[in-house]
Amino acid sequence: MIDRPNHVPERLGLLATSAVDPFLTEELLKGEQVHGGIDLAKVVEPLPEDDARWQVEPIRSLVEDAMFEFREDRTRADVWLAPRFHATLRLTRREAADKRLWNHFALAVAPDYVVWRHLSEPTANRPQRRVAAERFRGPADRQCFSRLWWAAELFRNGSDYEPVEVACGNQDLIHTVLRSELIDHRPTAQALVRLLKNGQVSGGREVNGLSVAINAAGATLAYDVLAPDRPRDSAPLRDWIAEAESAPPVQRYELPNGPDEDPVPEESVAALTDYFAELFETAPIRGRKSGD
């Protein structure tokens, strides 16, 4: 397993996807050797020096703690890291949509974490252990760090990150649902979490089947009419981001607090939870017999 690069930047930057490939070597993808970091730094676009959010040390410290704490169960690192990563790297959604930021973080700041978390085990069809390149520079639902940030952003309930832990405990939910535009509807996200939390939906096949049913129903039914959300006030997010410079490091054993936004209306979550439970009863689940 590789170590961190010899040169880890002090600040985050922007790394164009076109500049990634020379550093995304087979040796790196196989977890055998990492680049030194100096040459990569030459093709990085710097971010503003006066913004404390771009300091690497707080988030580098988080991923190192995750690798130590979850060395026996790598997938559980997502549950712990997602809310703390989001609360440390305080971004607007526009900033988080810039793939160049995630390229830089994965390749320059923490390539060792990407390999540690996503190096696959050998199989009969794929005898060589290897990390998929998309974990370094892929879409938001696959890239190692963007998927954690967006999971926390879309599944948090106002300032409460507890639903994020539930969501990130199910890999199929993250892989499947983050691709859907419906998940941007906050009551939908919270209803899915509630179905997981109360055990009505659990396994990967069930999550996938329910997701298909929800998307199909959403084509003819406006969920924001059935389960309205409050208009979002941007002021709490702006204030939360502005406090980044003076914010202490996030707690390791307690959940942090997110932006002080209003939670999702309970009546909307309850309405959608009941509706999705009904959809689930008739959803085509592979392996489930009729009448189960």
Side-chain angles (χ1 to χ4, degrees), residues 187-199:
T188 294
Q190 295 308 311
L192 285 168
V193 166
R194 188 162 296 182
L195 288 171
L196 284 172
K197 191 173 182 180
N198 64 22

Side-chain angles (χ1 to χ4, degrees), residues 188-247:
T188 294
Q190 295 308 311
L192 285 168
V193 166
R194 188 162 296 182
L195 288 171
L196 284 172
K197 191 173 182 180
N198 64 22
Q200 289 176 264
V201 178
S202 56
R205 291 179 180 180
E206 294 181 352
V207 169
N208 292 334
L210 177 60
S211 299
V212 170
I214 289 173
N215 279 283
T220 57
L221 176 67
Y223 290 142
D224 55 355
V225 174
L226 175 63
D229 195 3
R230 296 185 182 95
R232 300 186 71 174
D233 181 2
S234 60
L237 177 63
R238 291 198 304 268
D239 293 343
W240 186 68
I241 289 175
E243 294 166 359
E245 185 170 6
S246 59

Side-chain angles (χ1 to χ4, degrees), residues 79 151 155 162-174 193 196:
V79 176
F155 284 104
E162 191 270 339
V164 178
E165 292 187 310
V166 178
C168 288
N170 188 299
Q171 295 294 307
D172 293 282
L173 183 70
I174 301 302
V193 166
L196 284 172

Side-chain angles (χ1 to χ4, degrees), residues 12 19 24 29 71 74 76 87-89 95 104 147 151 160 171 222 238 240 242 254 257 272 283 292:
L12 284 174
L24 204 59
L29 296 177
R71 57 195 181 277
R74 293 176 296 166
R76 292 295 299 172
T88 301
L89 187 56
E95 290 169 334
H104 185 250
R147 64 189 284 272
D160 182 11
Q171 295 294 307
R238 291 198 304 268
W240 186 68
E254 296 180 6
N257 293 319
L272 271 191
D292 282 357

Side-chain angles (χ1 to χ4, degrees), residues 5 15-16 21 28 67 72 83 109 118 163 229 265 278:
L15 179 63
D21 286 345
L28 175 59
M67 285 190 285
E72 302 298 332
V109 176
H118 293 290
D229 195 3
E278 293 177 7

